[in-house]
């Protein structure tokens, strides 16, 4: 599997104060592209959890679809030395302005990535874990043309006031951990948000904590295979 790091010109900094002590913001979304020897035309966009980076979800994504092109992307925010997608206030509350600013910056970046790499959005799946999954969920309602299909691992809704978006053509798989006592209780609220926007949602709960592993990969792989079969009928 070949990989390459592809630089983009620096994005303009969003109008969000980055002066809070212990918070810095990178100018670019660092990303890495992995192209398998026998690419099948599908693409998976990987968005890590807190403390991860653009490589963290590569092993899991390879299990989900070994012949997909994988694009791992790193969140721009570093808070208390931890890489993130937006600023956190507490473990379950987040800077609302920062979420919107980073979602807008990501949407701009991703649009350029789609054009430069010739990405087919109809054959693209977003795969996010925890903090990354939450940014995907927010992105889906703030910029509804970006996310068509997504697998969200251990997610929760982070927007205090989410706009109503037309997600009638969007498909989501959410996987929560039964023993993830901090975040799993929020899963029904996220499912309800997606459904209220008309999205097709499959919500799973497995025997796990906040960690992710082979069962997540199996469920995601089977779900995506089902979508592909349905699209061929």
């Amino acid at each position: 599997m070949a990989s390459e790091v592809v630089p983009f010109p620096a994005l303009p900094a969003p109008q969000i104060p980055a002066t809070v002590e212990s918070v810095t913001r990178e100018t670019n979304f660092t990303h890495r592209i992995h192209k398998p020897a026998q690419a099948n035309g599908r693409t998976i966009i990987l968005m890590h959890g807190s403390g991860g980076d653009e490589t963290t979800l590569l092993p899991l994504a390879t299990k989900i679809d070994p012949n997909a092109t994988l694009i791992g992307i790193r969140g721009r925010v570093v808070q208390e030395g931890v890489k993130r997608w937006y600023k956190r206030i507490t473990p379950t509350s987040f800077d609302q302005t920062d979420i919107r600013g980073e979602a807008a910056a990501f949407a701009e970046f991703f649009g350029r990535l789609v054009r430069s790499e010739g990405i087919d959005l109809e054959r693209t799946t977003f795969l996010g874990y925890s903090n990354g999954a939450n940014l995907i969920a927010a992105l889906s309602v703030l910029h509804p043309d970006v996310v068509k299909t997504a697998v969200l691992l251990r997610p929760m809704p982070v927007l205090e006031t989410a706009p109503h978006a037309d997600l009638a053509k969007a498909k989501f798989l959410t996987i929560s951990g039964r023993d993830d006592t901090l975040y799993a209780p929020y899963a029904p609220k996220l499912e309800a948000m997606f459904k209220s926007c008309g999205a097709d949602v499959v919500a799973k709960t497995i025997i796990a904590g906040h960690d992710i592993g082979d069962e997540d990969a199996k469920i995601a792989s089977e779900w995506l295979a089902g979508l592909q079969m349905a699209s061929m009928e």
Side-chain angles (χ1 to χ4, degrees):
M1 178 181 293
S3 66
E4 56 179 328
V5 177
V6 183
F8 269 105
L11 291 170
Q15 299 302 308
I16 302 169
T19 57
V20 177
E21 187 177 358
S22 78
V23 175
T24 59
R25 195 183 313 275
E26 298 177 356
T27 56
N28 292 317
F29 286 99
T30 299
H31 60 291
R32 185 177 295 271
I33 300 175
H34 292 252
K35 296 182 178 180
Q38 297 181 334
N40 56 19
R42 294 189 288 271
T43 301
I44 303 180
I45 307 299
L46 315 179
M47 299 175 67
H48 62 83
S50 299
D53 62 22
E54 67 276 15
T55 69
T56 304
L57 293 178
L58 290 175
L60 186 75
T62 299
K63 293 179 181 179
I64 293 173
D65 190 341
N67 294 317
T69 295
L70 309 179
I71 305 180
I73 306 174
R74 184 195 306 173
R76 302 197 305 171
V77 173
V78 181
Q79 184 174 15
E80 302 286 352
V82 175
K83 298 180 184 69
R84 297 181 50 80
W85 290 94
Y86 45 81
K87 291 191 292 185
R88 185 178 83 167
I89 299 172
T90 73
T92 57
S93 64
F94 311 92
D95 187 307
Q96 298 297 297
T97 302
D98 209 37
I99 294 169
R100 284 170 167 76
E102 287 303 299
F106 183 91
E108 179 185 346
F109 153 78
F110 188 67
R112 292 192 291 164
L113 184 67
V114 167
R115 293 188 293 272
S116 67
E117 295 297 324
I119 297 172
D120 181 355
L121 289 179
E122 299 301 325
R123 304 190 71 189
T124 297
T125 299
F126 282 77
L127 172 65
Y129 167 51
S130 191
N131 187 235
N134 300 343
L135 193 280
I136 294 170
L139 185 70
S140 69
V141 293
L142 293 171
H143 302 273
D145 293 333
V146 176
V147 180
K148 307 293 185 182
T149 305
V151 176
L152 307 180
L153 309 176
R154 314 299 184 270
M156 68 167 287
V158 293
L159 290 171
E160 294 174 1
T161 304
H164 180 79
D166 181 1
L167 299 180
K169 296 182 179 180
K171 301 181 185 300
F172 296 92
L173 168 66
T174 67
I175 307 179
S176 299
R178 185 196 66 182
D179 302 324
D180 186 5
T181 56
L182 184 58
Y183 295 108
Y186 292 93
K189 183 178 179 181
L190 181 64
E191 181 184 359
M193 181 191 79
F194 285 144
K195 287 185 174 180
S196 72
C197 294
D200 182 345
V201 186
V202 173
K204 299 282 189 179
T205 300
I206 63 175
I207 300 174
H210 198 63
D211 54 310
I212 54 177
D214 288 345
E215 188 171 1
D216 294 283
K218 180 177 183 294
I219 293 171
S221 180
E222 292 174 351
W223 180 72
L224 287 173
L227 293 184
Q228 291 155 19
M229 289 183 62
S231 68
M232 297 170 59
E233 294 177 350

